[in-house]
Amino acid sequence: HKVQHAMIAACCDQRWWATAHDKLLFHALMQAHGLSVPHTQAVFHPARSLPGAAHLATPDQLREFLQAGARYPLFGKPCTGMWSVGAVSLAGIAADAGLVVAANGQEPTLDQTVAEISTFREQGYLLQDRLQPHPRVAAMIGDRVATVRLILIQGEAGPEPYKALWKI
């Protein structure tokens, strides 16, 4: 992480870092420019929100949303942070049993799920439609969305690919 940070700090204008580290800001910026972004169903934060998304300010509102307002499958992630820390993929809810059905087959209680997501309340948490991979990609890696991270180096003739990582 130190090496990655040093490389990025040496070649990038740090004033742009907020757009990469604040997923709520990034989402709003991409949407404003007409770029495709996952539909955000809700934002869990004391004050911040997005147009067209439910604003959940309290753990009780989060619980109610997960029980009655969410359209599953659902993907959740903290508004800040990296390396998928705090991300959840939820397939559905068994409200009568008080269980949430995670995409990995586990069934944490609704109380556990609300408590875990609530640890990110102050930084914010996005609850979005879970994307589906293309069928050919799904045949290779399963029912998960992969991303490609591309590192470009500014050469004399313009940006040149340096490294690429397929994050599964």
Side-chain angles (χ1 to χ4, degrees):
H1 299 292
K2 285 182 182 180
V3 172
Q4 177 186 12
H5 179 77
M7 280 179 54
I8 293 170
C11 69
C12 299
D13 184 344
Q14 294 182 20
R15 293 173 292 182
W16 284 98
W17 286 17
T19 58
H21 291 290
D22 183 333
K23 293 173 185 74
L24 193 58
L25 174 61
F26 181 82
H27 184 93
L29 184 61
M30 295 300 104
Q31 195 170 37
H33 286 279
L35 297 170
S36 181
V37 292
H39 173 70
T40 298
Q41 294 186 32
V43 176
F44 178 53
H45 186 271
R48 296 177 76 191
S49 62
L50 278 174
H55 176 230
L56 313 173
T58 68
D60 286 340
Q61 290 174 332
L62 173 62
R63 174 186 309 283
E64 178 63 28
F65 173 79
L66 292 173
Q67 285 178 314
R71 290 178 314 280
Y72 293 93
L74 188 66
F75 182 76
K77 60 187 174 184
C79 289
T80 61
M82 296 173 21
W83 305 293
S84 301
V85 173
V88 297
S89 183
L90 305 175
I93 188 162
D96 56 331
L99 299 175
V100 174
V101 181
N104 64 4
Q106 295 181 355
E107 294 184 337
T109 67
L110 182 58
D111 289 341
Q112 289 170 325
T113 303
V114 169
E116 184 177 322
I117 292 173
S118 291
T119 64
F120 299 101
R121 179 177 175 261
E122 294 303 315
Q123 70 188 64
Y125 201 85
L126 296 175
L127 295 154
Q128 301 175 318
D129 291 351
R130 190 176 78 198
L131 301 177
Q132 301 298 316
H134 185 279
R136 288 176 56 194
V137 174
M140 290 186 283
I141 66 169
D143 187 26
R144 63 180 58 91
V145 175
T147 59
V148 174
R149 307 291 168 97
L150 181 62
I151 299 173
L152 302 172
I153 301 293
Q154 182 65 40
E156 290 183 25
E160 299 175 17
Y162 172 66
K163 293 201 179 216
L165 170 72
W166 188 20
K167 184 179 176 190
I168 301 173

